[in-house]
Amino acid sequence: KKIKFLMKEETIKMKNPINFSTIRGKIKEASALRIAPYSYSHQSFKKALSRDLHFQDLFQDKLSSKQKPEALVICCSDSRVVPALITNSDPGRLFMVRNVGNMVPKAKSKEDFSVGSAVEYAVEVLKVKDIIVCGHSNCGACGAIFDSMDEQSQDFKDLVNKFDNFGESKVKHWLHITGEETLKSFEKIRDEMNDDYNNLSTSEKKDLLARVNVIEQAKELLNYPSVAHTPKKAKRETPHIHAWFYDIPSGEIEAFNGETFEKL
């Protein structure tokens, strides 16, 4: 039977609800106490939606059967970074992939396929015009890479001990395979800055590394077949690559212009 999504009453018109219990495995029934905050938030969303003609038209007409985003955003999993919010974008404008540290694994890597598949789908199927790698201030992943330069530092020891409790750490492995080029370039920038670098606070140094990181991750995108310029591909057919740094306290976005970062 046809399943319809209704704005004001979200009922699925079936005689009996589908029983999924046979495939639930070890997933336990969610408690009402745990669901309540999200249920309340969702009800508030639906009430707001019922009063907003713009979003009703957007969801019911333009987005109900297809999407046509303008850009792919590769951003950090950090809960403080919300690309649609900081770019004031409606649903449907941004195609997103999120991971720890807004990383782009090497194009030929066999370690991770989530980013590569998102890039391929965004470029080849959705035909996005832009790909944005967006890092941010006070990034935990970049802070861990920074601390790894001094393996005797207490911050690094605490990080190692924290994840070693779980056996083979996925976080340590992820940062190792994706952060190597970032660390090399950061050390080069650090040496070139000399005293200017030494005058920075620790948090400023970590934010500097986060800026270096988005440049390195954006550079790696150019090695992906869907993005790389080839004789068979006209330049207009490949998306523009952007490296952004989002400053959480101020709300400012800085974009790399080929030489330095400047505010949008």
Side-chain angles (χ1 to χ4, degrees), residues 35 68 81 86 98 111 138 147 150 172 181 205 209 220 237 247:
I35 290 176
K68 193 169 177 55
V81 182
I86 64 177
R98 305 185 70 147
E111 301 278 359
N138 190 234
D147 290 331
D150 179 7
K172 287 198 299 182
E181 295 305 317
K205 291 173 181 175
L209 187 143
E220 184 56 40
E237 294 177 342
D247 182 61

Side-chain angles (χ1 to χ4, degrees), residues 163-170 172:
F163 291 116
D164 277 349
N165 291 333
F166 299 98
E168 185 180 349
S169 168
K170 296 290 189 289
K172 287 198 299 182

Side-chain angles (χ1 to χ4, degrees), residues 196-237:
D196 288 336
Y197 175 82
N198 295 328
N199 291 331
L200 297 176
S201 67
T202 300
S203 63
E204 288 172 331
K205 291 173 181 175
K206 290 181 177 181
D207 284 352
L208 174 61
L209 187 143
R211 289 177 174 87
V212 171
N213 186 53
V214 290
I215 295 172
E216 286 302 323
Q217 305 309 318
K219 280 164 57 180
E220 184 56 40
L221 278 170
L222 298 174
N223 294 322
Y224 279 66
S226 299
V227 180
H229 298 309
T230 65
K232 292 183 180 180
K233 265 186 188 176
K235 277 193 176 183
R236 60 185 174 80
E237 294 177 342

Side-chain angles (χ1 to χ4, degrees), residues 67-128:
Q67 62 169 325
K68 193 169 177 55
E70 298 172 18
L72 163 64
V73 179
I74 300 172
C75 64
C76 187
S77 302
D78 194 296
S79 60
R80 299 166 295 176
V81 182
V82 186
L85 180 66
I86 64 177
T87 59
N88 197 29
S89 296
D90 278 347
R93 187 185 183 194
L94 304 177
F95 188 68
M96 283 183 275
V97 57
R98 305 185 70 147
N99 60 51
V100 174
N102 42 270
M103 301 300 198
V104 178
K106 291 189 181 299
K108 294 182 180 179
S109 171
K110 302 297 183 184
E111 301 278 359
D112 175 84
F113 295 98
S114 61
V115 176
S117 60
V119 170
E120 184 179 308
Y121 189 78
V123 176
E124 302 292 349
V125 179
L126 299 176
K127 308 294 184 186
V128 298

Side-chain angles (χ1 to χ4, degrees), residues 36-86:
Y38 304 104
S39 177
Y40 176 78
S41 299
H42 179 58
Q43 297 306 319
S44 298
F45 163 73
K46 289 196 296 181
K47 284 180 183 177
L49 196 61
S50 67
R51 298 191 293 266
D52 195 314
L53 296 178
H54 167 69
F55 281 110
Q56 285 186 33
D57 175 63
L58 190 67
F59 286 121
Q60 291 181 332
D61 182 26
K62 296 176 182 175
L63 299 178
S64 61
S65 61
K66 65 179 180 179
Q67 62 169 325
K68 193 169 177 55
E70 298 172 18
L72 163 64
V73 179
I74 300 172
C75 64
C76 187
S77 302
D78 194 296
S79 60
R80 299 166 295 176
V81 182
V82 186
L85 180 66
I86 64 177

